[in-house]
Amino acid sequence: MEYQTKSSAEMNGMCNSKLVTEYLCHNGFSELSIESKKLPVQDQSESSRKKAEDESRLPALEAAYTTILRGLGENTERQGLLRTPLRAAKAMQFLTKGYHETIYDILNDAIFDEDHDEMVIVKDIDMFSLCEHHLVPFFGKVHIGYLPSKKVVGLSKLARIVEIYSRRLQVQERLTKQIAMAISEALQPAGVAVVIEAAHMCMVMRGVQKMNSRTVTSAMLGVFREDPKTREEFLSLVKTS
Amino acid sequence: MERAKLRQGEQEDAAAAAAAAVAGGEQHSLNGHCEGGRSKVARCRESPGEASGSGARTPGQSGHSSSVMESWKEERTRSVEDNEMSLPSIAAAYTTILRGLGEDPQRQGLLKTPWRAATAMQFFTKGYQEKIIDVLNDAIFDEDHDEMVIVKDIDMFSMCEHHLVPIFGRVHIGYLPNKRVLGLSKLARIVEIYSRRLQVQERLTKQIAVAITEALQPAGVGVVIEATHMCMVMRGVQKMNSKTVTSTMLGVFREDPKTRDEFLTLIRS
């Protein structure tokens, strides 16, 4: 917890510390891995431990999926459904693999000191997540921009941050905020902006059934929040022509 | 000529289907909603030569298993009461899944998720609750029309039966009526009934085509489905822009290349 409170004090009023700990607590998923600093060797055993953990949980997931199929009135013995519980369980584990990964693991090496203080934008990052209310996918694009303060991050790491937080049971608002916070914490930039535009299958496939609806959320931190011109520059650069 | 052949073929198949239905008791095997024993649906996907004893097969309709045909009339295997009764067990299964993924089912966002997810899944498979015959019964009209009728860009949402992940895309349907036309929205309703199930895109295409054939006995039917499979996009190979296209051409659409061509050109524009 020390790691989190120290960095929250450095936030320069971007948010209060309560928000930081709330948003960084892995959606309530209680893994301790973010608090321990690990050596690369330990990393390997960590990931294989998690893989073994995944496999040990598979039978319970399979049984649950079999129950679901039967409850829907399907015949679980027919050819097309024979291995579906296993496949569906593995698919679900893949779609929630973000719980196993930590920002610290992926960012550790790729922060560089560059004398750059202009906006850096990575846009149109495809994002796939699961709605935590209906367990149905939502997907779209993430646009990230930040104004570095002498420290830049490897570009693919922005996409990896998106992956970590999106491969979970999510709410789009929280996802946007988590991505913005993670970048803030790692780089201490002058400002971070994240915009997500997504289609929610829970609205498209069921419920109101509005095919073309899109949900747009954004998180602006630091100078992006305070200075409207910076924000405008970012928004015009990510606008798809 | 071809129309007569198609109709005769259907009559033969219908007779065979009736015979098979009587012989097989209560077995309606489409999508595995089978009251007993070994599922016949596997034969839907086998080549014509392999399936034996499944009923007469006419030369003009290769790959046309009678189990597909007989199920058109008797489809509904789930009722609203069934839904209510199975909801608790499905919700409990979802709670197990949430725990198995390492989540905390007691946190605020997840408190009612098992119920919501169970209801959502029942909605995504509501095609099992509906019968084609109920949907179509009134809307077949006698019109002296024998030109192609096309309804295209019908949004379709289904569930992959292998991964339980959504499939979505568009369906284009064309048919050449033989003095009988169908209410246009009924084509979309047929798509809904068959797509809101655990499906395989090939089977879905065929089921839609067969249902229209059976209902109207038209000169020909063409169905084209273009869909995105989330199981390929969100996981596995992760190819974002891939689309799967399947088609079924029956009757004069299969035999006459010019008719087929006209249909494909009209749906493309």
Side-chain angles (χ1 to χ4, degrees):
Chain A
M1 294 311 268
E2 192 196 313
Y3 177 65
Q4 290 174 359
T5 45
K6 173 169 169 263
S7 47
S8 69
E10 289 173 9
M11 275 299 179
N12 290 347
M14 282 185 209
C15 62
N16 57 45
S17 57
K18 176 163 172 286
L19 273 177
V20 173
T21 48
E22 204 176 281
Y23 284 115
L24 286 181
C25 73
H26 289 260
N27 299 40
F29 179 65
S30 53
E31 272 251 342
L32 300 171
S33 39
I34 199 175
E35 278 123 0
S36 53
K37 303 204 171 181
K38 299 183 292 292
L39 299 172
V41 165
Q42 290 174 352
D43 269 347
Q44 290 281 29
S45 59
E46 182 79 36
S47 62
S48 59
R49 175 182 73 84
K50 283 172 180 147
K51 202 167 159 212
E53 226 180 76
D54 262 353
E55 284 187 17
S56 70
R57 289 174 164 160
L58 220 45
L61 293 175
E62 275 186 65
Y65 272 111
T66 310
T67 313
I68 291 172
L69 289 176
R70 290 215 185 99
L72 295 174
E74 265 284 6
N75 169 20
T76 47
E77 301 302 315
R78 71 175 172 92
Q79 191 211 34
L81 293 188
L82 269 181
R83 292 180 52 212
T84 291
L86 177 62
R87 284 185 292 239
K90 283 196 179 155
M92 192 55 104
Q93 281 187 332
F94 179 87
L95 296 177
T96 52
K97 69 178 166 68
Y99 290 126
H100 292 326
E101 297 154 2
T102 69
I103 299 297
Y104 188 82
D105 292 335
I106 54 160
L107 283 189
N108 219 3
D109 310 340
I111 298 180
F112 309 104
D113 297 307
E114 283 288 328
D115 189 15
H116 187 84
D117 58 359
E118 297 284 345
M119 204 182 291
V120 177
I121 297 177
V122 180
K123 61 179 191 166
D124 292 328
I125 303 171
D126 288 307
M127 177 276 299
F128 300 93
S129 189
L130 278 179
C131 158
E132 73 176 13
H133 300 136
H134 301 93
L135 300 185
V136 176
F138 68 94
F139 49 86
K141 290 192 191 290
V142 184
H143 312 287
I144 301 177
Y146 71 102
L147 218 65
S149 177
K150 306 303 183 206
K151 283 210 260 180
V152 299
V153 70
L155 297 171
S156 77
K157 303 302 177 276
L158 293 171
R160 285 186 192 274
I161 293 177
V162 170
E163 271 286 297
I164 286 183
Y165 285 120
S166 63
R167 297 287 186 186
R168 301 179 176 193
L169 302 185
Q170 274 289 8
V171 162
Q172 191 176 331
E173 296 87 336
R174 186 197 308 137
L175 171 62
T176 320
K177 191 122 217 164
Q178 282 177 323
I179 296 171
M181 294 299 210
I183 300 169
S184 272
E185 276 224 354
L187 299 181
Q188 288 90 42
V192 180
V194 178
V195 173
I196 300 187
E197 180 175 330
H200 289 244
M201 289 287 103
C202 52
M203 264 182 77
V204 169
M205 280 179 78
R206 61 167 287 290
V208 283
Q209 299 196 54
K210 296 297 180 190
M211 310 290 152
N212 302 316
S213 70
R214 298 278 178 276
T215 306
V216 182
T217 54
S218 64
M220 304 286 172
L221 300 179
V223 70
F224 283 93
R225 172 172 283 203
E226 277 135 36
D227 180 10
K229 287 220 175 302
T230 313
R231 200 179 330 150
E232 208 182 294
E233 181 185 343
F234 169 69
L235 293 174
S236 64
L237 285 170
V238 299
K239 201 193 309 263
T240 40
S241 49
Chain B
M1 273 292 247
E2 285 129 287
R3 283 184 231 154
K5 194 173 166 196
L6 180 69
R7 221 175 310 147
Q8 181 205 30
E10 279 166 10
Q11 281 174 0
E12 276 186 47
D13 261 325
V22 165
E26 295 298 311
Q27 292 200 10
H28 320 298
S29 56
L30 210 60
N31 285 56
H33 266 235
C34 182
E35 252 65 48
R38 228 193 137 274
S39 153
K40 281 198 245 170
V41 75
R43 275 190 259 134
C44 280
R45 314 207 54 218
E46 290 170 16
S47 61
E50 284 178 28
S52 56
S54 68
R57 197 164 270 124
T58 60
Q61 296 179 317
S62 51
H64 220 115
S65 156
S66 65
S67 58
V68 176
M69 303 283 265
E70 72 192 34
S71 62
W72 174 72
K73 301 254 174 21
E74 316 276 346
E75 282 267 16
R76 187 168 50 213
T77 52
R78 201 171 88 183
S79 66
V80 175
E81 293 80 29
D82 286 340
N83 276 358
E84 284 177 17
M85 282 183 29
S86 53
L87 200 59
S89 64
I90 303 179
Y94 271 113
T95 312
T96 313
I97 289 172
L98 289 178
R99 281 210 194 92
L101 296 174
E103 264 283 8
D104 168 22
Q106 300 305 317
R107 71 173 172 89
Q108 194 214 28
L110 294 187
L111 268 181
K112 289 170 64 188
T113 290
W115 296 93
R116 282 186 292 240
T119 317
M121 196 50 107
Q122 285 184 333
F123 181 87
F124 295 144
T125 53
K126 70 176 167 69
Y128 293 130
Q129 291 168 228
E130 295 155 1
K131 284 205 290 201
I132 297 288
I133 206 165
D134 291 333
V135 157
L136 289 187
N137 231 358
D138 310 343
I140 299 179
F141 308 105
D142 297 305
E143 283 287 326
D144 189 16
H145 188 81
D146 56 359
E147 298 284 345
M148 204 182 291
V149 177
I150 297 177
V151 179
K152 60 179 189 168
D153 292 330
I154 302 172
D155 287 307
M156 176 277 296
F157 300 94
S158 190
M159 289 296 266
C160 161
E161 73 176 12
H162 300 138
H163 300 94
L164 301 184
V165 179
I167 301 170
F168 51 87
R170 295 188 154 170
V171 184
H172 312 285
I173 302 177
Y175 70 101
L176 217 68
N178 187 12
K179 307 302 183 205
R180 290 168 64 176
V181 299
L182 187 59
L184 297 171
S185 78
K186 303 303 176 280
L187 293 170
R189 286 186 193 271
I190 294 176
V191 170
E192 270 287 300
I193 287 183
Y194 285 123
S195 62
R196 297 287 187 181
R197 298 179 174 192
L198 302 185
Q199 273 289 7
V200 162
Q201 193 176 329
E202 296 87 336
R203 185 196 308 140
L204 171 61
T205 324
K206 187 136 224 152
Q207 285 176 326
I208 296 171
V210 167
I212 299 170
T213 307
E214 285 216 355
L216 296 181
Q217 287 89 40
V221 178
V223 178
V224 173
I225 300 188
E226 183 179 324
T228 308
H229 291 240
M230 287 279 102
C231 52
M232 264 181 79
V233 169
M234 283 181 79
R235 60 163 291 288
V237 283
Q238 299 194 54
K239 295 296 180 191
M240 311 290 152
N241 303 316
S242 70
K243 286 194 166 42
T244 307
V245 181
T246 54
S247 64
T248 299
M249 305 288 171
L250 299 179
V252 71
F253 282 83
R254 171 171 285 204
E255 276 132 38
D256 180 11
K258 287 214 176 311
T259 313
R260 191 169 43 222
D261 224 14
E262 180 186 343
F263 170 60
L264 294 175
T265 312
L266 285 170
I267 62 174
R268 206 170 296 143
S269 56

